[in-house]
Amino acid sequence: MARIVRRQVLSLRGRPFVDASRALGAGHTRILLRHILPNIYGVVITYLTLTVPSILLYESFLSYLGLGIQPPQASLGSLIAEGAAQINAIRVYWWMIVFPGLMLTSTLLALNFVGDGLRDAWDPRGRTE
């Protein structure tokens, strides 16, 4: 995240509107608050939105292995692990695996679609008008 923000700030620092503001006598704080931060918040929010699904997947995987959130608290990975432990030859509790798995899948897809939509909306280079 820091590399992406730094790269964006360095690219904005050399833009003409920042040079014009500096030529008019604006200080570093004013340039940062009025020109740099409003132009990088879209990149930051988009990056966060695209990062959250991978973190959610990592947490669910670790909870499935028993290394994440412990049993008094609930996690999708621990719910799937408990459902997998209930499978036996006599009675199969399929819904204990399918519903947490579907919830995890739908959450990951929804967050990825939101991130893609935000990236498309805020990316100035991707627009074709």
Side-chain angles (χ1 to χ4, degrees):
M1 173 68 106
R3 289 184 318 190
I4 291 172
V5 170
R6 181 179 186 275
R7 182 179 55 109
Q8 189 72 20
V9 168
L10 289 177
S11 71
L12 287 172
R13 188 176 68 176
R15 301 283 299 268
F17 63 88
V18 175
D19 292 336
S21 181
R22 190 175 296 125
L24 289 173
H28 294 295
T29 306
R30 182 170 177 86
I31 292 172
L32 181 68
L33 293 176
R34 298 279 297 189
H35 299 292
I36 303 294
L37 289 179
N39 284 308
I40 65 167
Y41 84 92
V43 173
V44 170
I45 291 174
T46 302
Y47 187 75
L48 283 176
T49 309
L50 292 173
T51 304
V52 169
S54 64
I55 293 171
L56 182 64
L57 186 62
Y58 295 150
E59 185 274 325
S60 295
F61 179 68
L62 288 174
S63 294
Y64 178 78
L65 294 177
L67 301 172
I69 296 176
Q70 296 304 316
Q73 298 169 335
S75 168
L76 290 172
S78 62
L79 291 175
I80 293 171
E82 289 176 14
Q86 296 295 324
I87 293 177
N88 57 28
I90 298 171
R91 179 125 175 149
V92 177
Y93 297 105
W94 58 270
W95 57 88
M96 293 181 77
I97 295 175
V98 171
F99 290 135
L102 286 175
M103 184 65 193
L104 179 63
T105 304
S106 63
T107 303
L108 293 175
L109 284 173
L111 288 172
N112 275 322
F113 287 147
V114 167
D116 287 340
L118 288 175
R119 185 185 63 214
D120 292 342
W122 284 335
D123 187 18
R125 289 170 291 216
R127 292 186 183 162
T128 56
E129 294 183 36

